Protein backbone atom coordinates (compact mmCIF):
# COMPACT_ATOMS: atom_id res chain seq x y z
CA UNK A 1 0.00 0.00 0.00
CA UNK A 2 1.41 3.36 -0.99
CA UNK A 3 2.02 5.90 1.71
CA UNK A 4 1.98 9.70 1.40
CA UNK A 5 5.78 9.66 1.26
CA UNK A 6 5.95 7.17 -1.62
CA UNK A 7 7.57 8.69 -4.76
CA UNK A 8 5.27 9.32 -7.69
CA UNK A 9 7.34 7.10 -10.00
CA UNK A 10 5.99 3.57 -10.01
CA UNK A 11 9.33 1.92 -10.92
CA UNK A 12 12.63 2.44 -9.17
CA UNK A 13 14.36 5.41 -10.87
CA UNK A 14 17.56 4.71 -12.76
CA UNK A 15 18.47 8.37 -13.27
CA UNK A 16 20.13 10.50 -10.54
CA UNK A 17 17.82 13.34 -9.52
CA UNK A 18 20.34 16.06 -10.44
CA UNK A 19 20.57 14.65 -13.97
CA UNK A 20 16.81 14.14 -14.20
CA UNK A 21 16.17 17.83 -13.44
CA UNK A 22 18.31 19.07 -16.32
CA UNK A 23 17.39 16.32 -18.80
CA UNK A 24 15.74 18.68 -21.31
CA UNK A 25 18.73 21.03 -21.33
CA UNK A 26 20.95 17.99 -21.91
CA UNK A 27 18.71 16.94 -24.80
CA UNK A 28 19.21 20.40 -26.32
CA UNK A 29 23.01 20.01 -26.17
CA UNK A 30 22.77 16.53 -27.72
CA UNK A 31 20.64 17.90 -30.54
CA UNK A 32 23.22 20.64 -31.18
CA UNK A 33 25.90 17.94 -31.47
CA UNK A 34 23.66 15.97 -33.81
CA UNK A 35 22.94 19.15 -35.76
CA UNK A 36 26.49 19.53 -37.08
CA UNK A 37 26.69 15.93 -38.28
CA UNK A 38 23.41 16.12 -40.23
CA UNK A 39 23.95 19.78 -41.18
CA UNK A 40 27.18 18.90 -42.95
CA UNK A 41 25.57 16.40 -45.32
CA UNK A 42 22.52 18.58 -46.02
CA UNK A 43 24.79 21.57 -46.77
CA UNK A 44 26.96 19.43 -49.05
CA UNK A 45 23.89 18.34 -51.03
CA UNK A 46 23.40 21.95 -52.13
CA UNK A 47 27.11 22.50 -52.77
CA UNK A 48 27.83 19.48 -54.97
CA UNK A 49 27.01 21.35 -58.19
CA UNK A 50 29.34 24.21 -57.22
CA UNK A 51 32.13 21.77 -56.29
CA UNK A 52 31.71 20.08 -59.68
CA UNK A 53 32.26 23.43 -61.43
CA UNK A 54 35.81 23.94 -62.75
CA UNK A 55 38.27 26.09 -60.83
CA UNK A 56 38.33 28.78 -59.52
CA UNK A 57 34.61 28.51 -58.68
CA UNK A 58 34.81 24.86 -57.61
CA UNK A 59 37.17 21.91 -57.82
CA UNK A 60 36.00 20.48 -61.13
CA UNK A 61 34.99 17.22 -59.45
CA UNK A 62 33.50 14.52 -61.65
CA UNK A 63 30.27 12.77 -60.68
CA UNK A 64 32.28 9.79 -59.44
CA UNK A 65 34.45 12.08 -57.30
CA UNK A 66 31.33 13.76 -55.92
CA UNK A 67 29.93 10.37 -54.95
CA UNK A 68 33.22 9.56 -53.21
CA UNK A 69 33.23 12.94 -51.42
CA UNK A 70 29.90 11.91 -49.90
CA UNK A 71 30.67 8.21 -49.46
CA UNK A 72 34.20 8.53 -48.02
CA UNK A 73 32.52 10.26 -45.08
CA UNK A 74 29.69 7.78 -44.93
CA UNK A 75 31.80 4.64 -45.17
CA UNK A 76 34.23 5.67 -42.43
CA UNK A 77 31.24 6.81 -40.37
CA UNK A 78 29.36 3.54 -40.83
CA UNK A 79 32.43 1.33 -40.51
CA UNK A 80 33.53 2.80 -37.17
CA UNK A 81 30.13 3.25 -35.50
CA UNK A 82 30.32 -0.14 -33.77
CA UNK A 83 33.77 0.61 -32.39
CA UNK A 84 32.70 4.11 -31.40
CA UNK A 85 29.69 2.72 -29.54
CA UNK A 86 31.84 0.19 -27.70
CA UNK A 87 34.46 2.81 -26.82
CA UNK A 88 31.72 5.04 -25.47
CA UNK A 89 30.36 2.17 -23.39
CA UNK A 90 33.88 1.43 -22.10
CA UNK A 91 35.52 4.87 -21.69
CA UNK A 92 32.46 7.03 -21.12
CA UNK A 93 30.01 8.45 -23.66
CA UNK A 94 30.72 12.08 -22.79
CA UNK A 95 34.48 11.66 -23.33
CA UNK A 96 33.94 9.96 -26.68
CA UNK A 97 31.41 12.58 -27.74
CA UNK A 98 33.81 15.43 -26.94
CA UNK A 99 36.67 13.73 -28.79
CA UNK A 100 34.45 13.16 -31.83
CA UNK A 101 33.37 16.80 -31.91
CA UNK A 102 36.96 18.05 -31.77
CA UNK A 103 38.05 15.75 -34.63
CA UNK A 104 35.00 16.76 -36.66
CA UNK A 105 35.73 20.47 -36.16
CA UNK A 106 39.41 20.20 -37.13
CA UNK A 107 38.72 18.08 -40.21
CA UNK A 108 35.95 20.49 -41.30
CA UNK A 109 38.47 23.34 -41.28
CA UNK A 110 40.88 21.21 -43.35
CA UNK A 111 38.13 20.24 -45.85
CA UNK A 112 37.35 23.92 -46.39
CA UNK A 113 40.91 24.43 -47.63
CA UNK A 114 41.00 21.43 -50.01
CA UNK A 115 42.92 22.13 -53.21
CA UNK A 116 41.68 19.12 -55.18
CA UNK A 117 38.86 16.54 -55.19
CA UNK A 118 41.29 13.96 -53.76
CA UNK A 119 42.08 16.18 -50.77
CA UNK A 120 38.38 16.84 -50.21
CA UNK A 121 37.65 13.09 -50.26
CA UNK A 122 40.43 12.47 -47.70
CA UNK A 123 39.31 15.22 -45.32
CA UNK A 124 35.70 14.12 -45.65
CA UNK A 125 36.81 10.66 -44.51
CA UNK A 126 38.42 12.28 -41.45
CA UNK A 127 35.16 14.11 -40.78
CA UNK A 128 33.42 10.73 -40.89
CA UNK A 129 35.81 9.51 -38.21
CA UNK A 130 34.74 12.34 -35.89
CA UNK A 131 31.06 11.93 -36.72
CA UNK A 132 31.24 8.19 -35.92
CA UNK A 133 31.97 9.06 -32.31
CA UNK A 134 29.28 11.77 -32.13
CA UNK A 135 26.14 10.17 -33.54
CA UNK A 136 25.80 6.99 -31.41
CA UNK A 137 26.88 8.82 -28.27
CA UNK A 138 24.01 11.32 -28.53
CA UNK A 139 21.36 8.59 -28.46
CA UNK A 140 23.26 6.60 -25.83
CA UNK A 141 23.43 9.62 -23.51
CA UNK A 142 19.74 10.32 -24.17
CA UNK A 143 18.81 6.80 -23.06
CA UNK A 144 20.77 7.37 -19.85
CA UNK A 145 19.19 10.69 -18.83
CA UNK A 146 15.52 9.87 -19.55
CA UNK A 147 13.36 7.27 -17.81
CA UNK A 148 11.76 4.66 -20.05
CA UNK A 149 8.33 6.33 -20.07
CA UNK A 150 9.82 9.58 -21.43
CA UNK A 151 12.18 7.98 -23.94
CA UNK A 152 9.72 7.87 -26.89
CA UNK A 153 9.02 11.60 -26.49
CA UNK A 154 12.74 12.41 -26.18
CA UNK A 155 13.61 10.27 -29.22
CA UNK A 156 10.83 11.99 -31.17
CA UNK A 157 12.31 15.40 -30.35
CA UNK A 158 15.77 14.05 -31.21
CA UNK A 159 14.45 12.87 -34.58
CA UNK A 160 12.84 16.29 -35.05
CA UNK A 161 16.33 17.72 -34.63
CA UNK A 162 17.34 15.81 -37.74
CA UNK A 163 14.52 17.60 -39.57
CA UNK A 164 15.73 20.94 -38.21
CA UNK A 165 19.25 20.24 -39.46
CA UNK A 166 17.93 19.24 -42.88
CA UNK A 167 15.98 22.50 -42.95
CA UNK A 168 18.86 24.72 -41.87
CA UNK A 169 21.52 22.97 -43.97
CA UNK A 170 20.44 23.72 -47.55
CA UNK A 171 19.46 27.31 -46.73
CA UNK A 172 22.70 27.94 -44.86
CA UNK A 173 24.64 26.35 -47.71
CA UNK A 174 22.82 28.49 -50.25
CA UNK A 175 23.53 31.72 -48.36
CA UNK A 176 27.20 30.80 -47.95
CA UNK A 177 27.62 29.86 -51.62
CA UNK A 178 25.95 33.10 -52.71
CA UNK A 179 28.44 35.21 -50.71
CA UNK A 180 31.57 33.10 -50.13
CA UNK A 181 33.66 30.34 -51.71
CA UNK A 182 32.57 26.70 -51.69
CA UNK A 183 34.79 25.81 -48.68
CA UNK A 184 32.64 27.98 -46.41
CA UNK A 185 30.06 25.17 -46.27
CA UNK A 186 32.56 23.16 -44.22
CA UNK A 187 34.07 26.03 -42.25
CA UNK A 188 30.63 26.84 -40.77
CA UNK A 189 30.93 23.66 -38.68
CA UNK A 190 33.79 25.07 -36.60
CA UNK A 191 31.89 27.67 -34.50
CA UNK A 192 29.04 25.20 -33.92
CA UNK A 193 31.55 22.63 -32.63
CA UNK A 194 33.06 25.17 -30.23
CA UNK A 195 29.64 26.04 -28.76
CA UNK A 196 28.62 22.37 -28.50
CA UNK A 197 31.85 21.39 -26.73
CA UNK A 198 31.49 24.21 -24.17
CA UNK A 199 27.87 23.33 -23.37
CA UNK A 200 28.62 19.62 -23.17
CA UNK A 201 31.45 20.11 -20.66
CA UNK A 202 29.06 22.16 -18.53
CA UNK A 203 25.81 20.18 -18.71
CA UNK A 204 26.14 16.60 -19.93
CA UNK A 205 26.84 13.76 -17.44
CA UNK A 206 29.13 10.88 -18.28
CA UNK A 207 27.98 7.26 -18.36
CA UNK A 208 29.41 3.89 -19.35
CA UNK A 209 28.52 0.21 -19.54
CA UNK A 210 29.45 -1.47 -16.24
CA UNK A 211 30.52 -4.56 -18.23
CA UNK A 212 31.89 -3.34 -21.58
CA UNK A 213 33.15 -5.71 -24.20
CA UNK A 214 36.55 -5.80 -25.87
CA UNK A 215 37.12 -3.97 -29.14
CA UNK A 216 36.60 -6.22 -32.17
CA UNK A 217 39.47 -5.03 -34.40
CA UNK A 218 39.14 -7.85 -36.96
CA UNK A 219 35.37 -7.38 -37.28
CA UNK A 220 35.69 -3.63 -37.79
CA UNK A 221 38.38 -4.12 -40.45
CA UNK A 222 36.30 -6.71 -42.32
CA UNK A 223 33.17 -4.53 -42.31
CA UNK A 224 35.01 -1.45 -43.60
CA UNK A 225 36.89 -3.36 -46.33
CA UNK A 226 33.74 -5.15 -47.48
CA UNK A 227 31.66 -1.97 -47.70
CA UNK A 228 34.40 0.00 -49.49
CA UNK A 229 34.85 -2.74 -52.11
CA UNK A 230 31.11 -2.95 -52.82
CA UNK A 231 30.61 0.82 -53.04
CA UNK A 232 33.75 1.27 -55.16
CA UNK A 233 32.57 -1.40 -57.59
CA UNK A 234 29.10 0.11 -57.89
CA UNK A 235 30.41 3.64 -58.47
CA UNK A 236 32.96 2.35 -61.01
CA UNK A 237 30.19 0.54 -62.86
CA UNK A 238 28.27 3.81 -63.09
CA UNK A 239 31.33 5.64 -64.42
CA UNK A 240 31.89 2.99 -67.09
CA UNK A 241 28.14 2.64 -67.79
CA UNK A 242 28.82 -1.09 -67.69
CA UNK A 243 28.06 -3.14 -64.57
CA UNK A 244 29.16 -6.33 -66.35
CA UNK A 245 32.76 -5.11 -66.68
CA UNK A 246 35.03 -7.83 -65.17
CA UNK A 247 36.76 -5.35 -62.85
CA UNK A 248 33.40 -4.10 -61.55
CA UNK A 249 32.02 -7.59 -60.97
CA UNK A 250 35.23 -8.78 -59.31
CA UNK A 251 35.27 -5.82 -56.92
CA UNK A 252 31.61 -6.17 -55.91
CA UNK A 253 31.88 -9.96 -55.47
CA UNK A 254 35.03 -9.53 -53.39
CA UNK A 255 33.19 -7.04 -51.18
CA UNK A 256 30.29 -9.46 -50.70
CA UNK A 257 32.72 -12.26 -49.84
CA UNK A 258 34.40 -10.08 -47.20
CA UNK A 259 31.03 -9.18 -45.66
CA UNK A 260 30.09 -12.88 -45.52
CA UNK A 261 33.38 -13.50 -43.74
CA UNK A 262 32.51 -10.63 -41.39
CA UNK A 263 29.18 -12.24 -40.43
CA UNK A 264 30.77 -15.67 -39.92
CA UNK A 265 33.53 -14.16 -37.79
CA UNK A 266 31.05 -12.18 -35.67
CA UNK A 267 29.05 -15.35 -34.96
CA UNK A 268 32.14 -17.09 -33.62
CA UNK A 269 33.78 -14.13 -31.87
CA UNK A 270 33.47 -13.90 -28.07
CA UNK A 271 33.53 -10.07 -28.24
CA UNK A 272 31.76 -9.20 -31.52
CA UNK A 273 31.26 -5.61 -32.64
CA UNK A 274 27.83 -6.75 -33.88
CA UNK A 275 25.91 -9.27 -31.81
CA UNK A 276 24.29 -11.31 -34.58
CA UNK A 277 21.83 -12.77 -32.07
CA UNK A 278 20.03 -9.40 -31.96
CA UNK A 279 18.75 -10.08 -35.47
CA UNK A 280 16.90 -13.19 -34.36
CA UNK A 281 14.31 -10.73 -33.06
CA UNK A 282 12.09 -10.13 -36.10
CA UNK A 283 10.82 -6.79 -34.82
CA UNK A 284 14.36 -5.51 -34.27
CA UNK A 285 15.48 -6.72 -37.70
CA UNK A 286 12.46 -5.20 -39.45
CA UNK A 287 13.00 -1.82 -37.78
CA UNK A 288 16.69 -1.81 -38.72
CA UNK A 289 15.85 -2.81 -42.31
CA UNK A 290 13.23 -0.08 -42.61
CA UNK A 291 15.76 2.58 -41.61
CA UNK A 292 18.34 1.30 -44.11
CA UNK A 293 15.87 1.10 -47.00
CA UNK A 294 14.41 4.55 -46.35
CA UNK A 295 17.84 6.17 -46.35
CA UNK A 296 18.85 4.16 -49.43
CA UNK A 297 15.98 5.74 -51.34
CA UNK A 298 16.22 9.20 -49.79
CA UNK A 299 19.97 9.79 -50.25
CA UNK A 300 19.85 8.70 -53.87
CA UNK A 301 16.93 11.03 -54.61
CA UNK A 302 18.55 13.97 -52.79
CA UNK A 303 21.66 13.47 -54.90
CA UNK A 304 19.85 13.90 -58.23
CA UNK A 305 17.26 16.48 -57.10
CA UNK A 306 20.00 19.10 -56.61
CA UNK A 307 21.09 18.72 -60.24
CA UNK A 308 17.44 18.89 -61.32
CA UNK A 309 16.80 22.20 -59.55
CA UNK A 310 20.16 23.83 -60.35
CA UNK A 311 21.27 22.40 -63.70
CA UNK A 312 17.91 21.80 -65.41
CA UNK A 313 15.73 24.45 -63.77
CA UNK A 314 18.45 27.08 -63.27
CA UNK A 315 17.89 27.85 -59.58
CA UNK A 316 20.72 29.21 -57.43
CA UNK A 317 22.14 27.26 -54.45
CA UNK A 318 20.14 29.44 -52.03
CA UNK A 319 16.94 28.95 -54.01
CA UNK A 320 17.62 25.20 -54.08
CA UNK A 321 18.01 25.23 -50.31
CA UNK A 322 14.68 27.01 -49.94
CA UNK A 323 13.03 24.55 -52.33
CA UNK A 324 14.13 21.65 -50.09
CA UNK A 325 12.66 23.33 -47.02
CA UNK A 326 9.27 21.48 -47.14
CA UNK A 327 11.09 18.14 -46.78
CA UNK A 328 12.71 19.30 -43.56
CA UNK A 329 9.73 21.21 -42.19
CA UNK A 330 7.52 18.14 -42.50
CA UNK A 331 10.03 16.09 -40.48
CA UNK A 332 10.34 18.86 -37.93
CA UNK A 333 6.56 19.02 -37.50
CA UNK A 334 5.67 15.33 -37.53
CA UNK A 335 8.68 13.51 -36.04
CA UNK A 336 8.00 14.62 -32.42
CA UNK A 337 4.28 13.79 -32.85
CA UNK A 338 4.68 10.41 -34.53
CA UNK A 339 4.61 8.63 -31.16
CA UNK A 340 1.02 9.87 -30.64
CA UNK A 341 -0.03 8.31 -33.94
CA UNK A 342 1.76 5.09 -32.95
CA UNK A 343 -0.12 5.03 -29.63
CA UNK A 344 -3.39 5.07 -31.56
CA UNK A 345 -2.68 2.90 -34.61
CA UNK A 346 0.41 0.82 -33.71
CA UNK A 347 3.93 0.72 -35.11
CA UNK A 348 3.08 -1.52 -38.08
CA UNK A 349 0.29 0.66 -39.46
CA UNK A 350 2.22 3.92 -39.00
CA UNK A 351 5.47 2.67 -40.55
CA UNK A 352 3.67 0.91 -43.41
CA UNK A 353 1.74 4.08 -44.17
CA UNK A 354 4.92 6.15 -43.99
CA UNK A 355 6.76 3.88 -46.42
CA UNK A 356 3.82 3.82 -48.82
CA UNK A 357 3.89 7.62 -48.81
CA UNK A 358 7.66 7.67 -49.43
CA UNK A 359 7.22 5.15 -52.27
CA UNK A 360 4.51 7.27 -53.87
CA UNK A 361 6.54 10.46 -53.67
CA UNK A 362 9.59 8.78 -55.18
CA UNK A 363 7.48 7.47 -58.05
CA UNK A 364 6.02 10.96 -58.54
CA UNK A 365 9.46 12.28 -59.55
CA UNK A 366 8.74 10.63 -62.90
CA UNK A 367 6.14 13.36 -63.55
CA UNK A 368 8.69 16.18 -63.31
CA UNK A 369 9.93 17.83 -66.50
CA UNK A 370 11.87 21.00 -67.31
CA UNK A 371 8.73 23.15 -67.18
CA UNK A 372 6.69 21.44 -64.42
CA UNK A 373 5.29 24.05 -61.95
CA UNK A 374 7.74 24.19 -59.08
CA UNK A 375 4.98 23.90 -56.48
CA UNK A 376 4.59 20.26 -57.55
CA UNK A 377 8.13 19.56 -56.36
CA UNK A 378 7.36 21.36 -53.08
CA UNK A 379 4.34 19.13 -52.45
CA UNK A 380 6.42 16.03 -53.22
CA UNK A 381 9.12 17.10 -50.76
CA UNK A 382 6.60 17.85 -48.01
CA UNK A 383 4.84 14.50 -48.39
CA UNK A 384 8.19 12.70 -48.49
CA UNK A 385 9.25 14.38 -45.23
CA UNK A 386 5.90 13.46 -43.67
CA UNK A 387 6.37 9.81 -44.60
CA UNK A 388 9.93 9.75 -43.26
CA UNK A 389 8.88 11.28 -39.94
CA UNK A 390 6.41 8.45 -39.41
CA UNK A 391 9.11 5.85 -40.07
CA UNK A 392 12.19 7.18 -38.30
CA UNK A 393 10.72 7.93 -34.87
CA UNK A 394 8.79 4.64 -34.34
CA UNK A 395 11.63 2.47 -35.62
CA UNK A 396 14.21 4.36 -33.51
CA UNK A 397 12.10 3.75 -30.39
CA UNK A 398 11.74 0.03 -31.22
CA UNK A 399 15.50 -0.35 -31.71
CA UNK A 400 16.61 1.64 -28.65
CA UNK A 401 14.18 -0.08 -26.30
CA UNK A 402 15.05 -3.57 -27.56
CA UNK A 403 18.35 -3.62 -25.66
CA UNK A 404 19.24 -2.92 -22.01
CA UNK A 405 19.95 0.67 -21.07
CA UNK A 406 23.65 -0.05 -20.48
CA UNK A 407 23.88 -1.28 -24.08
CA UNK A 408 22.48 1.99 -25.47
CA UNK A 409 25.72 2.69 -27.32
CA UNK A 410 25.46 -0.62 -29.20
CA UNK A 411 21.79 -0.08 -30.08
CA UNK A 412 22.48 3.45 -31.30
CA UNK A 413 25.49 2.27 -33.28
CA UNK A 414 23.45 -0.44 -35.00
CA UNK A 415 20.68 2.01 -35.87
CA UNK A 416 23.05 4.61 -37.26
CA UNK A 417 25.23 2.07 -39.04
CA UNK A 418 22.33 0.68 -41.03
CA UNK A 419 21.13 4.22 -41.71
CA UNK A 420 24.53 5.27 -43.03
CA UNK A 421 25.17 2.06 -44.95
CA UNK A 422 21.74 2.37 -46.52
CA UNK A 423 22.51 5.98 -47.47
CA UNK A 424 25.95 5.10 -48.86
CA UNK A 425 24.55 2.29 -50.98
CA UNK A 426 21.68 4.56 -52.06
CA UNK A 427 24.12 7.17 -53.34
CA UNK A 428 26.32 4.54 -54.95
CA UNK A 429 23.56 2.44 -56.54
CA UNK A 430 21.10 5.17 -57.51
CA UNK A 431 23.93 7.55 -58.42
CA UNK A 432 25.35 4.88 -60.71
CA UNK A 433 21.91 4.19 -62.21
CA UNK A 434 21.60 7.92 -62.85
CA UNK A 435 25.08 8.09 -64.40
CA UNK A 436 24.52 5.03 -66.60
CA UNK A 437 21.08 6.16 -67.81
CA UNK A 438 22.41 9.67 -68.49
CA UNK A 439 25.44 8.47 -70.46
CA UNK A 440 23.31 6.08 -72.52
CA UNK A 441 20.91 8.90 -73.32
CA UNK A 442 23.42 11.60 -74.22
CA UNK A 443 26.28 9.70 -75.90
CA UNK A 444 24.67 9.82 -79.37
CA UNK A 445 24.54 13.63 -79.09
CA UNK A 446 28.26 13.97 -78.35
CA UNK A 447 29.46 12.99 -81.83
CA UNK A 448 30.39 16.62 -82.65
CA UNK A 449 33.06 16.47 -79.94
CA UNK A 450 36.58 15.03 -80.37
CA UNK A 451 36.71 11.33 -79.51
CA UNK A 452 38.92 11.86 -76.44
CA UNK A 453 36.47 14.42 -74.96
CA UNK A 454 33.29 12.36 -75.34
CA UNK A 455 33.78 10.11 -72.34
CA UNK A 456 34.42 13.00 -69.93
CA UNK A 457 31.54 15.07 -71.36
CA UNK A 458 29.15 12.15 -70.89
CA UNK A 459 29.93 11.54 -67.21
CA UNK A 460 27.33 13.97 -65.86
CA UNK A 461 25.04 16.81 -66.87
CA UNK A 462 27.51 19.31 -65.41
CA UNK A 463 30.32 17.91 -67.55
CA UNK A 464 28.15 18.14 -70.68
CA UNK A 465 27.01 21.69 -69.89
CA UNK A 466 30.62 22.69 -69.22
CA UNK A 467 31.66 21.51 -72.68
CA UNK A 468 28.61 23.18 -74.25
CA UNK A 469 29.54 26.51 -72.63
CA UNK A 470 33.02 26.35 -74.17
CA UNK A 471 31.55 25.72 -77.63
CA UNK A 472 29.39 28.85 -77.50
CA UNK A 473 26.45 28.91 -79.97
CA UNK A 474 27.56 25.56 -81.43
CA UNK A 475 26.98 23.99 -78.03
CA UNK A 476 23.30 24.90 -77.71
CA UNK A 477 22.07 21.52 -79.05
CA UNK A 478 24.17 19.88 -76.33
CA UNK A 479 22.33 21.84 -73.63
CA UNK A 480 18.95 20.55 -74.84
CA UNK A 481 20.30 17.02 -75.15
CA UNK A 482 21.81 17.19 -71.65
CA UNK A 483 18.55 18.34 -70.07
CA UNK A 484 16.47 15.72 -71.88
CA UNK A 485 18.90 12.92 -71.03
CA UNK A 486 19.09 13.96 -67.39
CA UNK A 487 15.30 14.05 -67.00
CA UNK A 488 15.05 10.55 -68.44
CA UNK A 489 17.83 9.35 -66.13
CA UNK A 490 16.13 10.98 -63.14
CA UNK A 491 12.85 9.22 -63.94
CA UNK A 492 14.60 5.84 -64.18
CA UNK A 493 16.46 6.43 -60.91
CA UNK A 494 13.29 7.53 -59.10
CA UNK A 495 11.56 4.30 -60.08
CA UNK A 496 14.48 2.31 -58.66
CA UNK A 497 14.13 4.26 -55.42
CA UNK A 498 10.39 3.61 -55.34
CA UNK A 499 11.06 -0.11 -55.81
CA UNK A 500 13.38 -0.12 -52.80
CA UNK A 501 10.73 1.67 -50.71
CA UNK A 502 8.20 -0.96 -51.81
CA UNK A 503 10.47 -3.71 -50.43
CA UNK A 504 10.67 -1.81 -47.13
CA UNK A 505 6.87 -1.55 -47.03
CA UNK A 506 6.50 -5.32 -47.27
CA UNK A 507 9.12 -5.89 -44.56
CA UNK A 508 7.53 -3.60 -41.98
CA UNK A 509 4.01 -4.83 -42.74
CA UNK A 510 5.02 -8.43 -42.17
CA UNK A 511 7.26 -8.09 -39.14
CA UNK A 512 6.63 -4.94 -37.10
CA UNK A 513 4.17 -5.22 -34.19
CA UNK A 514 0.60 -3.97 -34.51
CA UNK A 515 -1.34 -2.15 -31.81
CA UNK A 516 -0.45 -4.76 -29.21
CA UNK A 517 2.90 -3.77 -27.70
CA UNK A 518 5.76 -6.27 -28.02
CA UNK A 519 7.06 -8.32 -25.12
CA UNK A 520 8.88 -6.20 -22.51
CA UNK A 521 12.55 -5.90 -23.37
CA UNK A 522 15.38 -6.55 -20.97
CA UNK A 523 15.61 -2.82 -20.32
CA UNK A 524 12.38 -3.00 -18.31
CA UNK A 525 14.00 -5.37 -15.83
CA UNK A 526 15.95 -4.20 -12.86
CA UNK A 527 19.27 -2.74 -13.99
CA UNK A 528 22.21 -1.19 -12.26
CA UNK A 529 22.08 2.62 -12.05
CA UNK A 530 24.14 4.23 -14.79
CA UNK A 531 25.06 7.73 -15.76
CA UNK A 532 25.94 8.68 -12.23
CA UNK A 533 29.34 10.11 -12.97
CA UNK A 534 29.60 13.85 -12.64
CA UNK A 535 29.81 16.41 -15.31
Amino acid sequence: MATPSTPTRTAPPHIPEAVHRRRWAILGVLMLSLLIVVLDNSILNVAIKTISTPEPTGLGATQGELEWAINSYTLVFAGLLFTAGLLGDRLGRKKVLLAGLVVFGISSALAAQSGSPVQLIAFRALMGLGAAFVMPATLAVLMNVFERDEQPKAIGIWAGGVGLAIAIGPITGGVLLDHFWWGSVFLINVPIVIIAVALMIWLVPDSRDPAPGRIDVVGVALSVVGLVLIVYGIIKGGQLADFTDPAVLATVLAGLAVLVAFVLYEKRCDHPSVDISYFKNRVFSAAISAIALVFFALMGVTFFSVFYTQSVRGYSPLQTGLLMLPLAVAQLIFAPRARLVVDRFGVRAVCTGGLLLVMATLASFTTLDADTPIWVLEVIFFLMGTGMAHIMTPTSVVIMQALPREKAGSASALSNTFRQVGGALGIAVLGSVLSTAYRNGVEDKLTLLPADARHTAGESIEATLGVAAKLGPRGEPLVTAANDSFLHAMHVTALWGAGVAAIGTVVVFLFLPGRTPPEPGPQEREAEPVGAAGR
Side-chain angles (χ1 to χ4, degrees):
M1 179 70 69
T3 65
S5 61
T6 301
T8 55
R9 295 178 188 169
T10 58
H14 296 288
I15 312 300
E17 188 59 36
V19 174
H20 182 75
R21 283 198 303 268
R22 63 176 189 266
R23 64 196 185 283
W24 297 110
I26 293 170
L27 178 60
V29 179
L30 297 177
M31 288 176 63
L32 183 62
S33 304
L34 175 70
L35 180 73
I36 61 168
V37 176
V38 181
L39 184 73
D40 176 72
N41 270 337
S42 58
I43 284 181
L44 183 60
N45 286 335
V46 175
I48 53 177
K49 179 182 180 295
T50 304
I51 295 172
S52 69
T53 306
E55 295 185 79
T57 302
L59 293 176
T62 66
Q63 183 155 315
E65 288 170 335
L66 288 174
E67 291 177 30
W68 272 114
I70 297 172
N71 281 337
S72 64
Y73 173 96
T74 303
L75 288 172
V76 174
F77 188 7
L80 294 178
L81 275 169
F82 297 128
T83 301
L86 287 172
L87 283 175
D89 292 342
R90 173 185 289 271
L91 303 177
R93 283 111 186 194
K94 179 178 179 178
K95 296 182 185 69
V96 165
L97 228 174
L98 288 170
L101 285 172
V102 171
V103 171
F104 189 88
I106 292 172
S107 52
S108 294
L110 292 172
Q113 304 300 323
S114 299
S116 68
V118 173
Q119 288 184 7
L120 178 61
I121 291 168
F123 291 136
R124 286 278 297 163
L126 189 59
M127 291 172 69
L129 172 65
F133 287 86
V134 172
M135 179 71 88
T138 59
L139 260 183
V141 172
L142 181 153
M143 299 299 286
N144 280 271
V145 299
F146 284 89
E147 296 291 355
R148 185 178 176 86
D149 58 346
E150 284 188 322
Q151 286 172 5
K153 180 179 180 181
I155 291 175
I157 296 172
W158 180 89
V162 176
L164 178 64
I166 295 173
I168 294 174
I171 297 171
T172 304
V175 171
L176 291 170
L177 291 172
D178 274 2
H179 294 89
F180 304 101
W181 94 113
W182 64 266
S184 60
V185 302
F186 299 110
L187 199 60
I188 190 65
N189 293 332
V190 176
I192 302 175
V193 165
I194 293 172
I195 295 170
V197 167
L199 290 174
M200 191 165 299
I201 292 172
W202 177 36
L203 283 173
V204 176
D206 205 354
S207 62
R208 58 174 56 88
D209 185 347
R214 287 186 289 152
I215 303 302
D216 176 19
V217 177
V218 175
V220 170
L222 288 173
S223 65
V224 173
V225 170
L227 287 171
V228 169
L229 286 173
I230 288 175
V231 170
Y232 176 82
I234 293 170
I235 292 175
K236 192 65 178 176
Q239 289 175 335
L240 298 174
D242 182 10
F243 288 94
T244 63
D245 183 88
V248 172
L249 289 175
T251 306
V252 172
L253 290 174
L256 290 173
V258 173
L259 289 184
V260 169
F262 165 74
V263 173
L264 294 176
Y265 178 82
E266 295 300 282
K267 290 176 71 173
R268 291 167 172 76
C269 182
D270 60 0
H271 57 284
S273 56
V274 180
D275 190 338
I276 304 298
S277 66
Y278 294 158
F279 294 92
K280 294 179 180 178
N281 183 321
R282 295 191 306 172
V283 172
F284 181 86
S285 297
I288 284 280
S289 300
I291 286 179
L293 292 171
V294 166
F295 269 78
F296 180 101
L298 178 74
M299 293 300 289
V301 168
T302 303
F303 186 80
F304 69 64
S305 65
V306 172
F307 287 100
Y308 171 72
T309 54
Q310 294 187 40
S311 300
V312 177
R313 302 301 296 263
Y315 289 100
S316 70
L318 176 57
Q319 289 171 325
T320 296
L322 292 171
L323 288 173
M324 295 177 71
L325 193 58
L327 175 68
V329 168
Q331 291 187 63
L332 190 61
I333 292 172
F334 294 110
R337 295 169 174 79
R339 64 187 177 85
L340 303 176
V341 185
V342 170
D343 289 344
R344 181 168 183 180
F345 298 104
V347 175
R348 179 193 300 157
V350 173
C351 289
T352 300
L355 272 161
L356 284 172
L357 188 54
V358 169
M359 182 182 69
T361 54
L362 289 169
S364 65
F365 271 91
T366 60
T367 66
L368 299 179
D369 290 312
D371 55 356
T372 302
I374 203 63
W375 63 262
V376 175
L377 179 63
E378 299 299 271
V379 172
I380 291 173
F381 275 150
F382 184 83
L383 293 175
M384 181 180 291
T386 302
M388 284 194 64
H390 289 90
I391 301 164
M392 300 309 301
T393 300
T395 52
S396 295
V397 172
V398 167
I399 292 166
M400 293 305 295
Q401 293 191 342
L403 301 181
R405 184 193 301 273
E406 61 270 17
K407 300 295 183 183
S410 299
S412 177
L414 278 170
S415 173
N416 285 293
T417 296
F418 275 76
R419 182 181 308 185
Q420 295 302 320
V421 169
L425 291 176
I427 292 169
V429 173
L430 297 185
S432 295
V433 169
L434 180 74
S435 179
T436 302
Y438 178 78
R439 183 185 291 279
N440 291 338
V442 80
E443 61 184 357
D444 292 341
K445 313 296 191 302
L446 301 177
T447 52
L448 57 89
L449 299 176
D452 58 347
R454 292 174 192 169
H455 182 84
T456 301
E459 274 199 345
S460 68
I461 184 173
E462 279 304 303
T464 309
L465 294 178
V467 171
K470 293 178 182 178
L471 293 175
R474 292 190 304 119
E476 290 181 3
L478 276 184
V479 174
T480 302
N483 288 339
D484 291 344
S485 298
F486 179 83
L487 287 170
H488 169 71
M490 183 180 76
H491 295 163
V492 171
T493 308
L495 287 176
W496 274 65
V500 171
I503 295 171
T505 303
V506 174
V507 169
V508 300
F509 180 76
L510 292 177
F511 299 114
L512 285 187
R515 296 186 64 180
T516 303
E519 288 296 316
Q523 191 175 346
E524 288 183 297
R525 302 175 192 140
E526 190 66 27
E528 295 181 25
V530 293
R535 287 176 281 180

